[in-house]
Each structure stands twice: as C-alpha cells, then as structure tokens.
Amino acid sequence: LLGLSNGTYEVQILVTDLAGNTNLSNTIIIYYDTLPPNIILNYPANETITTSNDVNLSFNASDNMAQYLMCVVNLNNNPSSPYNVTNGEEQIIELVNLAGGYYYWNVTCIDQANNQRISDTWWFFVPVPDLSVDNNEIYFNETNIKEGDLINITATVRNIGVSPAENFIVQFWQNEVNVSGNQIGNNISVPLLNNGEAINVSVNFVAPIGTTEIFVYVNPNNAVLEENYSNNIASRNMIVEFWHYALGSTNDTLRVT
C-alpha cells in the first residue's frame, strides 16, 4: 500500500484462481499514523515565581488517532514515571515540598504508533528559605555574671522564608567571626527547619573578665540557598565587671593597675 494518508483503513483481499473461483478474506484494520501528539503546557505559566513550595503542573496532550498516550514529565532533566493520558484531557501533576530554586519542566508524549513529541520547556521559581537570627534573641542563663562562671548561651534561629531549610549549621563565636575570633563549642547541625518555625540552639561558655561580644552565625558555609543572607549574623555583649571587696578599717592605699 503506497501513498496512504494518515487515517484508518479497512482492508479485504479478494482472491481469484484460474478457474474463476473467488474468495474474500476477513476484514483487517490498518491504522496509518505519522503525526506526533500535540502538547500544551497550561500552568504554572512560564517564568512564574510561586508563593508556595507545593506546585501543580498542568498540561493537555492530544493526538489525531490514539485514544491514550504515554507521557513523561521531565523536571530539571529528571523524568517521571510514565502517565497514561487520555487523548485531549487535562493532566495535573502534584509536586509537594519542593526545595527552593529554579525548576525547568517539559513533557514528552508518545502515541500508539510511536510518534513522539517534546513540548516547549518552561520554568518556575520556588522562593527559597530565609534563615534569620536577631541580636535580641541571644540569651544568657545568668544576669550577674562573674569571671569563671559557666554560662549557657542560647540563640533563636528562625526560618522567615516560604520554603523549608535543610541540613545547615549554626556557629557561636567569641569577639570576631572566623579568622580573628575563637569559635565557641562545635558546629551545631540542624537537619530541618520548616518555614515559619524557629529553633533554639545552645552552647556553654566560661565567662572571662571584661566585655566579650558573642556572635551567632547561621548557615556560614551557604549550604542552604537563601533569599537574604544579611540577617544570618547577630551578636550580644557579655559583660563581666572588675570587682574587689575591702572589709574593715585600714590606712593602706589600694592601687588597681
């Protein structure tokens, strides 16, 4: 069969022998299809900035002949399991708890004749976490601190963004951060801080005499992509005063050097 157009054909074969006897075969149906499916991406619209880390992807796939299509959604070059899509019907894919960042997606569909089409590629952006620590949320467990006291220092770390923050660290420092300062204790690992939530982290510190500035540094290695890094450091002064007791009467002179 040559020169066929795309469509459905019913074929019967008529056979005649030399004696003029004829016979007609059963009818067979031939589907001739060279056209790939059509794919329309519906939402989220291209270059969307979402307001949540739960996102629905919507598309329609249609074909000139096939009742069902096999479609795969590619998200950041990671293909999904195949979806059995009804010709022309909207397909909605639910994505939940996405990490913040850019997502590129397209759809590949194949009809029953193995004709394939890949849709346009669209992107959307899921807002990232925003870890925050504030000067007013650094606490000492003692108010009248003396030299040599073991002080518990606690800081409240908040995620004021719209996405969870996973696997970041918090550090406490004395007087300076990094090279010129001394780290207090070890890195504190936080496996998960959901958006809108807060967590308290603590270290112990032996108070020296004088004024010590205590720094808290959240996500110092930028392991978590954040909306704003300027609120990741906070500090509070710990003041241990010089003091002396003098009891009784004396004619001596007290010199403090």
Side-chain angles (χ1 to χ4, degrees), residues 84-180:
N84 191 21
V85 176
T86 301
N87 187 358
E89 290 189 1
E90 182 184 17
Q91 187 75 22
I92 298 176
I93 310 300
E94 296 182 354
L95 306 175
V96 296
N97 292 325
L98 292 174
Y102 286 93
Y103 289 86
Y104 296 85
W105 69 289
N106 59 38
V107 178
T108 301
C109 291
I110 301 175
D111 64 18
Q112 292 172 332
N114 287 326
N115 300 307
Q116 174 181 293
R117 187 185 297 274
I118 301 175
S119 74
D120 294 334
T121 298
W122 286 5
W123 65 261
F124 61 90
F125 180 77
V126 176
V128 293
D130 187 3
L131 297 170
S132 173
V133 63
D134 188 88
N135 297 342
N136 295 319
E137 293 189 316
I138 301 173
Y139 309 100
F140 307 141
N141 68 324
E142 297 286 348
T143 54
N144 298 315
I145 302 174
K146 299 186 293 294
E147 181 184 8
D149 283 351
L150 183 63
I151 304 302
N152 179 267
I153 307 170
T154 299
T156 300
V157 178
R158 300 184 181 277
N159 181 358
I160 60 176
V162 297
S163 296
E166 298 182 355
N167 299 319
F168 63 92
I169 63 174
V170 181
Q171 296 176 339
F172 288 79
W173 289 84
Q174 177 183 357
N175 291 326
E176 295 285 345
V177 173
N178 294 328
V179 178
S180 299

Side-chain angles (χ1 to χ4, degrees), residues 229-248:
Y229 291 96
S230 66
N231 54 4
N232 285 23
I233 299 180
S235 68
R236 179 183 173 186
N237 284 337
M238 178 184 292
I239 300 174
V240 178
E241 296 181 349
F242 295 89
W243 54 273
H244 294 273
Y245 290 115
L247 301 177

Side-chain angles (χ1 to χ4, degrees), residues 209-246:
I209 201 164
T211 299
T212 303
E213 188 171 8
I214 303 297
F215 287 88
V216 181
Y217 196 1
V218 180
N219 192 29
N221 55 356
N222 296 338
V224 174
L225 177 66
E226 294 189 60
E227 181 179 342
N228 176 19
Y229 291 96
S230 66
N231 54 4
N232 285 23
I233 299 180
S235 68
R236 179 183 173 186
N237 284 337
M238 178 184 292
I239 300 174
V240 178
E241 296 181 349
F242 295 89
W243 54 273
H244 294 273
Y245 290 115

Side-chain angles (χ1 to χ4, degrees), residues 32-33 46 67 73 80 111 124 179 234 240 251:
Y32 184 68
D33 182 13
N46 194 25
Q67 184 177 0
V73 176
S80 68
D111 64 18
F124 61 90
V179 178
V240 178
N251 294 322

